[in-house]
Amino acid sequence: MVSNYDLIIIGGGPAGLSAAIYGGRAKLKTLVINKGTIGGLADTTREIVNYPGYIQVSGPDLMKDFRKHAEHFNVEFLKEEVISVDFSHQQKFIKTKKGKELSAKAVIIACGSEPRILNIPGEKTLRGSGVAYCATCDAEFFEGEDVVVVGSGDQAIEEGMYITKFARKVTVIVLHDEGILDCNKVSATRAFSNEKMEFMWNSTIEAVLGEENVEGVKIKNLKTGTSSDLACQGVFFFVGMVPSTRFLKDSGLDLDNRGYIPVNESMETNVEGIYAVGDNRVKYLRQVVSAAGDGATAAVAAERYIEELNYFNANVLENDKKVLLLFFNVLVDESLEFSTLLEKIIRENGDDYKLFKVDMATKKTLAGNYNIEEVPAVVVLDKGEEIKRLDCSMDEQKLKSQLF
């Protein structure tokens, strides 16, 4: 049995939860599907100091507030993994790993991103046995031990400093010349003054060493070409993120060459009724505050789309009169001229028909549902069923003969 919703949100990070709050408040039947812990990557952040209204708050506490707010508006939550979607129809269909089948009038994709894997020898086999990607999750397991951090961006340096609270020593592997990090200047200054942090410049990691647990790493100096082994008990990789959009590969959604989803200012994708927010979309700033803004924007856009959809169903598919579904394009003069002529004919010849105009530029999915490729085009519907199509001639008498 398929469970039906107005709005389904795939992902329960700050973007998805923000969208859920707005969806629930608009009295849409809203479901959040999340395969992991609610809060996404924000839930693994030990300290947030730049979210408005919170001078200092932990990621988990902030995400608990987000979820509580959404639940206040009767939002439902489902802990599942989405494995396939079908966005080719007016009603959008979603299938989960455990076999649940769900549908919605609109879908917001908020599945976020995940750590980039380098796929070097030992990385996968020792994951969870010394190889880690989240300092907040795993740093405490390396109390008094030596740890290597791979990367030099904001995440790598800030997480590396957090690890020093537990580890005996943290060695950061940096691709660049001495003194050059990719992080912000404040974090760099703090890191250089941290007595527990050391840096290996002009270097890259070739392998993680160890059988059952991490015992060290093989490091290559990019200037000399020489390799050396460094003993350690833990390796944290912070070398970027990749969008969690693999399940969308055959969905019909446009993805860029990295897998991110392009959207417009309303968070709309290339498919009507589908929106993308947060870290899985093409964007400039990836922060909790910008994710929350994405979610709010998408939910408001989705609400308006659903209202239009409901209006279409009630006034076109369920109308007692015959409906002339006119497809036109506001940028094509001939299309506008025909629209004016058809409106005149209907107005002067009684009320046997209801005219419903569809702009091809904004309703591509609807046009596709009726196999409309050129405009103007008119589909005649009776109780939602197509009974004929008009020859869209500018000859007024010819048009009248087809209608009356």
Side-chain angles (χ1 to χ4, degrees), residues 4 34 73 134 172 203 233 259 396:
N4 300 311
N34 196 66
F73 291 119
C134 171
V172 184
S203 299
Q233 291 75 51
E396 184 173 344

Side-chain angles (χ1 to χ4, degrees), residues 272 326-330 335 357-368 371-377:
E272 288 175 31
L326 166 63
F327 292 89
F328 74 108
N329 188 327
V330 294
S335 178
K357 298 165 67 174
V358 179
D359 183 359
M360 282 276 287
T362 60
K363 301 297 179 185
K364 294 178 182 178
T365 299
L366 183 59
N371 298 312
I372 304 299
E373 296 180 356
E374 296 181 356
V375 291

Side-chain angles (χ1 to χ4, degrees), residues 216-399:
V217 292
K218 184 177 288 295
I219 298 171
K220 180 179 181 179
N221 186 290
L222 298 174
K223 286 196 171 181
T224 65
T226 59
S227 297
S228 60
D229 294 350
L230 175 67
C232 65
Q233 291 75 51
V235 185
F236 283 77
F237 288 88
F238 301 112
V239 290
M241 309 295 289
V242 293
S244 304
T245 55
R246 290 182 296 275
F247 71 98
L248 297 171
K249 183 179 179 182
D250 299 316
S251 66
L253 283 184
D254 287 342
L255 304 174
D256 72 7
N257 57 7
R258 298 174 299 165
Y260 289 98
I261 308 169
V263 296
N264 63 15
E265 62 181 9
S266 298
M267 305 298 137
E268 295 170 327
T269 68
N270 64 300
V271 177
E272 288 175 31
I274 308 298
Y275 307 80
V277 297
D279 285 1
N280 54 212
R281 81 168 181 92
V282 176
K283 65 185 304 186
Y284 174 70
L285 182 65
R286 302 182 190 281
Q287 296 281 298
V288 174
V289 67
S290 61
D294 285 358
T297 299
V300 171
E303 177 194 359
R304 292 173 181 173
Y305 167 79
I306 291 169
E307 286 178 352
E308 290 180 3
L309 195 62
N310 290 341
Y311 181 86
F312 179 84
N313 290 340
N315 290 275
V316 176
L317 301 185
E318 299 168 11
N319 202 301
D320 291 335
K321 294 182 181 180
K322 292 178 182 178
V323 175
L324 302 180
L325 195 56
L326 166 63
F327 292 89
F328 74 108
N329 188 327
V330 294
L331 300 178
V332 178
D333 289 340
E334 294 85 351
S335 178
L336 292 175
E337 290 172 7
F338 179 83
S339 174
T340 301
L341 175 60
L342 187 60
E343 287 177 329
K344 173 179 176 291
I345 292 172
I346 299 303
R347 185 173 60 252
E348 293 176 350
N349 291 272
D351 59 354
D352 293 341
Y353 294 95
K354 179 178 178 61
L355 179 63
F356 192 91
K357 298 165 67 174
V358 179
D359 183 359
M360 282 276 287
T362 60
K363 301 297 179 185
K364 294 178 182 178
T365 299
L366 183 59
N369 291 341
Y370 288 95
N371 298 312
I372 304 299
E373 296 180 356
E374 296 181 356
V375 291
V378 178
V379 179
V380 184
L381 302 176
D382 187 3
K383 299 292 193 300
E385 296 295 325
E386 179 179 340
I387 56 175
K388 64 179 177 179
R389 299 195 176 200
L390 300 187
D391 177 2
C392 297
S393 166
M394 287 299 295
D395 184 325
E396 184 173 344
Q397 293 304 317
K398 188 174 182 180
L399 269 177

Side-chain angles (χ1 to χ4, degrees), residues 8-291:
I8 289 180
I9 301 162
I10 303 175
L17 293 173
S18 175
I21 291 167
Y22 274 74
R25 185 172 179 270
K27 298 190 181 301
L28 299 176
K29 186 180 181 184
T30 302
L31 172 71
V32 175
I33 307 174
N34 196 66
K35 69 177 181 180
T37 303
I38 288 293
L41 290 176
D43 190 67
T44 67
T45 304
R46 66 190 178 279
E47 183 179 88
I48 295 174
V49 296
N50 57 1
Y51 190 80
Y54 291 81
I55 295 173
Q56 181 176 330
V57 64
S58 73
D61 285 345
L62 182 59
M63 292 301 98
K64 285 178 184 176
D65 287 347
F66 272 45
R67 174 168 183 161
K68 185 178 179 181
H69 198 163
E71 289 175 334
H72 174 73
F73 291 119
N74 300 313
V75 173
E76 298 178 33
F77 288 83
L78 174 65
K79 188 172 183 179
E80 273 268 30
E81 179 179 358
V82 174
I83 58 170
S84 66
V85 296
D86 181 358
F87 296 154
S88 61
H89 307 287
Q90 186 182 89
Q91 195 77 0
K92 318 304 180 186
F93 294 93
I94 294 169
K95 189 172 183 179
T96 70
K97 193 172 186 178
K98 294 181 180 179
K100 283 188 176 294
E101 295 185 357
L102 308 154
S103 76
K105 296 172 182 176
V107 175
I108 297 176
I109 300 167
C111 49
S113 58
E114 55 193 309
R116 183 181 300 279
I117 307 298
L118 294 182
N119 288 317
I120 62 172
E123 181 184 2
K124 286 186 177 180
T125 57
L126 292 171
R127 183 169 185 171
S129 298
V131 170
Y133 301 87
C134 171
T136 308
C137 309
D138 300 315
E140 64 182 288
F141 300 120
F142 299 93
E143 185 84 40
E145 297 184 332
D146 292 340
V147 170
V148 165
V149 165
V150 182
S152 66
D154 286 343
Q155 183 189 23
I157 300 306
E158 291 171 8
E159 299 287 81
M161 285 190 285
Y162 178 74
I163 297 170
T164 62
K165 294 181 179 181
F166 304 91
R168 186 184 73 85
K169 181 178 70 173
V170 173
T171 303
V172 184
I173 312 299
V174 186
L175 288 169
H176 312 303
D177 290 337
E178 184 172 347
I180 300 176
L181 298 176
D182 293 319
C183 66
N184 64 81
K185 292 181 180 179
V186 173
S187 293
T189 300
R190 290 176 59 194
F192 290 144
S193 63
N194 190 316
E195 295 180 353
K196 285 189 174 184
M197 293 190 82
E198 296 183 1
F199 299 86
M200 294 191 71
W201 307 101
N202 301 303
S203 299
T204 186
I205 185 170
E206 293 185 305
V208 180
L209 308 175
E211 295 297 326
E212 296 182 357
N213 296 286
V214 170
E215 298 173 6
V217 292
K218 184 177 288 295
I219 298 171
K220 180 179 181 179
N221 186 290
L222 298 174
K223 286 196 171 181
T224 65
T226 59
S227 297
S228 60
D229 294 350
L230 175 67
C232 65
Q233 291 75 51
V235 185
F236 283 77
F237 288 88
F238 301 112
V239 290
M241 309 295 289
V242 293
S244 304
T245 55
R246 290 182 296 275
F247 71 98
L248 297 171
K249 183 179 179 182
D250 299 316
S251 66
L253 283 184
D254 287 342
L255 304 174
D256 72 7
N257 57 7
R258 298 174 299 165
Y260 289 98
I261 308 169
V263 296
N264 63 15
E265 62 181 9
S266 298
M267 305 298 137
E268 295 170 327
T269 68
N270 64 300
V271 177
E272 288 175 31
I274 308 298
Y275 307 80
V277 297
D279 285 1
N280 54 212
R281 81 168 181 92
V282 176
K283 65 185 304 186
Y284 174 70
L285 182 65
R286 302 182 190 281
Q287 296 281 298
V288 174
V289 67
S290 61

